[in-house]
Amino acid sequence: MGECSQDAIRIMVVDDEPIIADELSELLKNHLQDYANITVRTAYNAATVLKLIAQHSCDILISDIQMPGKSGLELAKEVREIVPDVNILFLTGFNNFAYAYEAFRQNAVHYLLKTEGDEAILQAVRETVDKLRVNRNVSRRIQEAEQPPAPEGSQENASAEGQSGAAS
């Protein structure tokens, strides 16, 4: 896992079944590392997720829905309070319309069944990563466009004038 650069896509995986959380984290690392600069953190309950996000933030939350203590739906609400623009993917073993409806009310970007398989999960994460890349590029360009031009007499202008004056 390690520390990530500023441009890394930070993914948090949470499932109360450690084998599922660990396997999903490994799947993402093994199949997406060449696709994107990602950092994957794994948790087995909502309390750990909240603690980790307070320290490291995250761009993508992949959460089981039914977990003891706090459901993935409840967790998503709390994570959004900390990271309002987090992208949420729900991964569940339950094909339940009420869960899907609530997930989309919370602006989840994907609602996947665990039985859909690895490729469906990877494709959903790739789509989310692509969306994040576009948003980051747009934000970067906006920031660059909003930068004021260098003032007259700045170091850049002074050295350019000095070079042209020396050539005369």
Side-chain angles (χ1 to χ4, degrees):
M1 286 189 294
E3 288 307 306
C4 60
S5 73
Q6 189 173 0
D7 289 334
I9 305 286
R10 299 160 300 184
I11 302 173
M12 174 68 64
V13 174
V14 59
D15 196 303
D16 62 312
E17 296 180 54
I19 193 164
I20 292 174
D22 293 340
E23 285 180 3
L24 180 55
S25 293
E26 285 304 311
L27 176 75
L28 297 174
K29 289 177 201 173
N30 292 336
H31 288 83
L32 297 180
Q33 204 63 54
D34 292 336
Y35 184 76
N37 179 13
I38 63 167
T39 298
V40 180
R41 289 190 167 80
T42 309
Y44 310 123
N45 59 60
T48 303
V49 170
L50 294 169
K51 196 179 306 180
L52 288 170
I53 286 177
Q55 297 169 355
H56 303 287
S57 192
C58 84
D59 301 302
I60 301 172
L61 172 66
I62 303 173
S63 179
D64 186 14
I65 288 186
Q66 272 203 325
M67 297 185 291
K70 188 174 296 198
S71 75
L73 297 166
E74 294 167 319
L75 173 62
K77 285 180 186 175
E78 289 187 39
V79 169
R80 269 212 201 279
E81 290 175 12
I82 301 166
V83 186
D85 58 347
V86 67
N87 292 271
I88 299 171
L89 288 79
F90 286 113
L91 186 62
T92 183
F94 298 92
N95 188 5
N96 181 320
F97 178 76
Y99 287 153
Y101 177 74
E102 183 59 29
F104 285 108
R105 282 190 42 187
Q106 292 188 33
N107 296 320
V109 292
H110 287 282
Y111 179 91
L112 299 162
L113 295 176
K114 291 177 181 176
T115 56
E116 289 184 64
D118 292 351
E119 195 49 48
I121 295 166
L122 289 169
Q123 184 58 36
V125 175
R126 280 188 204 105
E127 289 172 10
T128 307
V129 166
D130 289 344
K131 181 179 121 181
L132 279 166
R133 285 176 170 162
V134 168
N135 290 345
R136 285 180 177 182
N137 285 336
V138 168
S139 294
R140 194 173 295 126
R141 288 183 181 178
I142 289 170
Q143 287 176 343
E144 289 169 1
E146 291 176 344
Q147 291 293 322
E152 292 290 325
S154 71
Q155 284 291 63
E156 291 176 14
N157 289 341
S159 62
E161 288 170 9
Q163 288 176 354
S164 64
S168 307

